[in-house]
Amino acid sequence: MHILVVNCGSSSVKAEVIDLSTGKRIVVMSVDRISDAQPKLKFSDNQEVLACPASGHEQALAFAFPMLIEKLDKNLLKGVGHRVVHGGKIFDEPALITEEVEKQIESLYSLAPLHNPINLLGVRIAKKYFPDVPHVAVFDTAFHSTIPPKAKNYALPQNLIEKHYIERYGFHGTSHRYVAQQAANYLGADIHDLRIISCHLGNGASVCAIEHGVSVETSMGMTPLEGLVMGTRSGDIDAGIITYLMEQENMTWQQVSDMLNKESGMKGIAGSNDMRDLEERAADGDVQAQLAIDMFVHRLRKYIGAYAAVMGGADAIIFTAGIGENSASLRSKIVYKLNYMRAIIDENKNKMLKFIGVEDVEDISASNSLCKILVVKTDEQLSIAEQTAKVIKSSKLKNQAPRNIPIAVSARHVHLTQESVEILFGKGYQLTEQKPLSQPGQFACNEMVTLVGPKNKIEKVRILGPTRPKDQVEISRTDEFFLGIDAPIRESGHTEGSPGLTLIGPAGKLELKEGVICAWRHIHMHPDDAEYFGVKDKDIVEVRVENQERGLTFGNVLIRVSDKFKLEMHIDTDEANAAELNQGAEGSLVLTGAGGMLTKKKVS
Ligand code: ADP
């Protein structure tokens, strides 16, 4: 599948055709200096710089897109992904671009006057040249929609906040999301188990706290101006300085805006926004360049400490983008003194690190560093292409017949290790199958045991096979009260710290130290189903069930995805009784709003 990614900015347009099966770039195109009389057009397969015959986006792209089309295989091109900077409160996911979505992007012009109008212009021009494939908008802000209100809100009068949709939207979301996932893959960890501080350090720079795989804080705010010291942006300043300067210098809002966005940051301090240049000058004794670097480092170190405090620690710090990927000396300065959060750099690995396109993730932490320090090559275009493909696939699936979710009622049951089977049934004993269960490979056994709690016992509790690496007893809330124990609601397999119980079998007694849980209601699904519903493993969703008498919604339903699973929701007997559900009941995920997306909360 080939996807064209278009990043339409005010002074340049970048476009890449990516083969998603290999990640390879088929064509890379850029049009620079778009308002010049003859904008400059370049293709990656050719060093030649071509002059577009006329100025402006429409005219330059009218020249460039037909040439791009000649270089690609139109049969393989399945969609166009557009970078759109601001999704406001409307878009927390990428969206298939319909007329309605175009209007919604327009409605956000006032929040991002420098970006959204140009991004949408790019969409409209591209639609003319690629009318036969779906177009998808991928928003820089979307990843940050999970930031909780205490971090999202500004302490300003509520009437103004509501009237003008003022809140922390955050930016660079595509990059933060991408590098965090790359880091989790590299560490062989589930992203939901990590606390990550991602530092995107380019001309624009931001830092993001990612907990359980979702953004919980980020340094850019309602606009990209807040936060770190950047190439030409000031980052955090006392807002009082603005009103002071407007009065003292008689400045208009436009002058202040230009000063803060274009003339401040490292350019303001030392006259250049190029970190390479500043590092050279600093080494030659230029005091202002030294100050600019010190301020950049200090501000970022302050944020890293703050975000570790927000998440109660950090398992990984990521450096990415131009400065993060390339400047060993900056990385070294930033992590200096982070020993208190167990982040210790290996200076040798750091210095030796060069991105030559071999690895996309490099570990520069010392062997005794508990917090990993990683350098990750960002690839926003690839991420946009992947998200675009996902939206296209799931929108096709959504046009198919609706997929209902069969509901199965799990009676209390026991999973055992082979060792425990032998204690309860005798040495060398093997479980025997009574009947297969709906999840492939699983079966109900002929064997049963008695559960003995402090208060009562329950006889004839069935064992489910095959044997597992850990013992686990799954009971309902009512069983808990009957047995006299307090079992936590947990995902299967997560028995740490749960209470124990005595099991009695024909050959012996087994004292479990832990392993008794009340199963968290969940849906098993195959990756195809997950794609269809637009959810992923560990998402939390709501399920609507219509039975004869009344409809009801189950909240807090955990999604579990595996290619071994068959679509089915599992609830326990208490829940089934309370909801008056019979065999054969079915549920559906709750569908809502923007772009036909599903209502889904992420684990946080
Ligand atoms: P953006 O995409 O925001 O324009 P980039 O991610 O391309 O920015 O990063 C640009 C920044 O990276 C510039 O400040 C540039 O000087 C810096 N940079 C690139 N290579 C190096 C390097 N080898 N050492 C230090 N800084 C570098």
Side-chain angles (χ1 to χ4, degrees):
M1 186 183 209
H2 290 187
I3 297 287
L4 167 65
V5 177
V6 178
N7 183 351
C8 187
S10 54
S11 62
S12 70
V13 179
K14 294 189 171 54
E16 296 188 7
V17 179
I18 303 177
D19 177 352
L20 274 182
S21 56
T22 58
K24 206 176 139 217
R25 268 51 178 181
I26 308 297
V27 195
V28 179
M29 176 194 104
S30 66
V31 187
D32 289 308
R33 297 172 179 259
I34 245 158
S35 7
D36 282 8
Q38 295 199 310
K40 295 185 171 35
L41 169 64
K42 267 195 278 183
F43 285 98
S44 55
D45 59 348
N46 190 336
Q47 287 311 302
E48 200 185 346
V49 179
L50 303 163
C52 300
S55 160
H57 288 80
E58 299 260 10
Q59 291 78 354
L61 290 175
F63 181 68
F65 274 152
M67 292 176 76
L68 177 83
I69 289 167
E70 270 179 32
K71 292 174 190 281
L72 54 85
D73 183 341
K74 269 195 117 176
N75 293 325
L76 292 176
L77 187 74
K78 299 294 178 215
V80 184
H82 294 268
R83 175 181 180 218
V84 179
V85 167
H86 220 303
K89 285 174 184 286
I90 305 174
F91 299 102
D92 62 358
E93 296 277 355
L96 195 66
I97 305 178
T98 56
E99 271 179 33
E100 170 68 18
V101 167
E102 284 187 33
K103 281 195 199 119
Q104 286 169 319
I105 296 173
E106 255 176 28
S107 74
L108 298 168
Y109 277 5
S110 60
L111 279 178
L114 302 177
H115 298 107
N116 275 28
I118 297 290
N119 298 155
L120 189 58
L121 179 64
V123 170
R124 289 179 168 151
I125 298 173
K127 274 187 155 183
K128 281 192 211 150
Y129 291 90
F130 303 91
D132 304 325
V133 291
H135 289 242
V136 172
V138 178
F139 300 91
D140 274 20
T141 49
F143 182 56
H144 302 299
S145 63
T146 44
I147 294 178
K150 62 187 170 194
K152 218 180 224 307
N153 280 283
Y154 290 97
L156 292 170
Q158 197 56 28
N159 61 331
L160 289 177
I161 295 257
E162 281 167 16
K163 185 171 172 199
H164 298 287
Y165 306 101
I166 295 170
E167 65 176 47
R168 177 179 309 286
Y169 290 102
F171 299 85
H172 292 143
T174 304
S175 176
H176 289 303
R177 180 203 300 263
Y178 176 81
V179 296
Q181 188 57 58
Q182 291 288 99
N185 297 350
Y186 174 85
L187 295 172
D190 185 333
I191 195 165
H192 298 93
D193 297 332
L194 296 174
R195 293 160 302 174
I196 295 173
I197 299 175
S198 164
C199 310
H200 177 110
L201 311 177
N203 236 325
S206 71
V207 52
C208 178
I210 301 164
E211 197 177 3
H212 295 303
V214 301
S215 169
V216 293
E217 250 290 13
T218 194
S219 58
M220 283 180 168
M222 171 167 160
T223 74
L225 191 52
E226 193 179 342
L228 302 178
V229 176
M230 304 179 221
T232 61
R233 296 190 195 116
S234 64
D236 298 337
I237 61 164
D238 175 355
I241 297 171
I242 297 172
T243 45
Y244 178 80
L245 279 182
M246 285 177 93
E247 201 194 358
Q248 296 292 318
E249 293 283 317
N250 212 9
M251 286 168 93
T252 63
W253 69 264
Q254 185 65 58
Q255 286 168 325
V256 174
S257 169
D258 285 350
M259 183 267 292
L260 293 173
N261 279 293
K262 298 179 186 162
E263 301 300 331
S264 299
M266 284 174 303
K267 186 176 176 202
I269 308 161
S272 168
N273 62 337
D274 189 322
M275 189 55 92
R276 280 165 295 200
D277 178 35
L278 291 174
E279 287 200 295
E280 265 176 41
R281 281 170 43 200
D284 286 343
D286 182 325
V287 177
Q288 283 311 108
Q290 290 170 355
L291 177 64
I293 293 173
D294 281 348
M295 286 174 66
F296 178 89
V297 169
H298 172 78
R299 181 86 52 89
L300 178 52
R301 203 187 297 136
K302 204 162 93 171
Y303 267 98
I304 291 175
Y307 287 1
V310 165
M311 296 191 289
D315 303 300
I317 297 172
I318 297 173
F319 288 105
T320 192
I323 299 169
E325 290 170 28
N326 294 300
S327 177
S329 61
L330 260 287
R331 290 192 300 256
S332 171
K333 281 175 197 280
I334 293 159
V335 295
Y336 167 66
K337 289 210 287 200
L338 295 189
N339 299 29
Y340 74 93
M341 51 185 280
R342 316 243 179 130
I344 305 159
I345 196 166
D346 181 325
E347 283 300 354
N348 225 12
K349 284 195 211 159
N350 182 39
K351 266 192 223 123
M352 298 301 290
L353 172 62
K354 290 244 175 334
F355 269 120
I356 335 167
V358 185
E359 294 293 340
D360 288 344
V361 183
E362 294 277 357
D363 184 351
I364 55 166
S365 34
S367 54
N368 59 339
S369 178
L370 291 184
C371 173
K372 293 284 176 197
I373 305 168
L374 303 174
V375 183
V376 183
K377 198 176 171 67
T378 193
D379 194 340
E380 288 163 284
Q381 282 72 17
L382 178 62
S383 177
I384 291 174
E386 285 171 348
Q387 294 185 62
T388 300
K390 211 169 151 197
V391 170
I392 293 170
K393 274 193 209 157
S394 61
S395 70
K396 278 193 190 135
L397 287 165
K398 279 193 196 106
N399 291 334
Q400 295 174 5
R403 221 173 265 196
N404 282 341
I405 304 166
I407 298 179
V409 182
S410 297
R412 63 180 82 94
H413 61 267
V414 176
H415 298 281
L416 293 175
T417 62
Q418 180 57 31
E419 201 187 342
S420 301
V421 169
E422 296 191 18
I423 293 170
L424 293 164
F425 294 92
K427 201 153 178 45
Y429 191 88
Q430 296 292 321
L431 294 174
T432 58
E433 178 171 333
Q434 184 216 26
K435 60 170 188 186
L437 296 175
S438 54
Q439 295 306 316
Q442 307 232 2
F443 52 89
C445 301
N446 290 305
E447 292 75 17
M448 293 192 265
V449 287
T450 300
L451 308 182
V452 184
K455 208 160 147 197
N456 283 306
K457 63 181 180 180
I458 302 177
E459 291 176 335
K460 293 190 179 163
V461 179
R462 197 165 296 280
I463 298 170
L464 302 188
T467 51
R468 288 191 174 185
K470 270 204 288 192
D471 295 312
Q472 182 173 304
V473 178
E474 292 180 42
I475 56 174
S476 69
R477 265 268 176 267
T478 308
D479 292 343
E480 280 181 44
F481 283 100
F482 185 73
L483 290 166
I485 55 171
D486 191 8
I489 296 178
R490 290 276 178 84
E491 184 183 351
S492 178
H494 292 249
T495 53
E496 313 77 29
S498 60
L501 194 68
T502 304
L503 270 55
I504 300 176
K509 199 185 207 189
L510 175 67
E511 301 283 353
L512 286 187
K513 287 210 171 52
E514 64 173 29
V516 185
I517 61 167
C518 194
W520 189 349
R521 53 180 169 257
H522 56 275
I523 305 174
H524 287 273
M525 57 171 76
H526 189 271
D528 287 349
D529 298 311
E531 201 164 323
Y532 169 83
F533 290 115
V535 294
K536 57 185 185 313
D537 195 41
K538 292 202 165 67
D539 274 348
I540 297 173
V541 299
E542 290 176 2
V543 174
R544 179 88 187 151
V545 181
E546 302 293 341
N547 64 10
Q548 281 149 1
E549 270 82 55
R550 58 186 181 151
L552 84 163
T553 302
F554 283 104
N556 206 19
V557 184
L558 181 71
I559 296 284
R560 298 184 52 201
V561 182
S562 160
D563 54 10
K564 295 192 189 71
F565 289 161
K566 196 177 128 204
L567 186 61
E568 197 170 64
M569 173 160 155
H570 287 185
I571 56 176
D572 70 19
T573 35
D574 280 354
E575 292 166 333
N577 291 339
E580 295 169 21
L581 293 181
N582 302 319
Q583 277 302 344
E586 289 190 326
S588 54
L589 285 197
V590 183
L591 282 164
T592 60
M597 287 297 169
L598 294 160
T599 309
K600 58 176 191 288
K601 284 185 251 157
K602 285 151 197 158
V603 185
S604 60

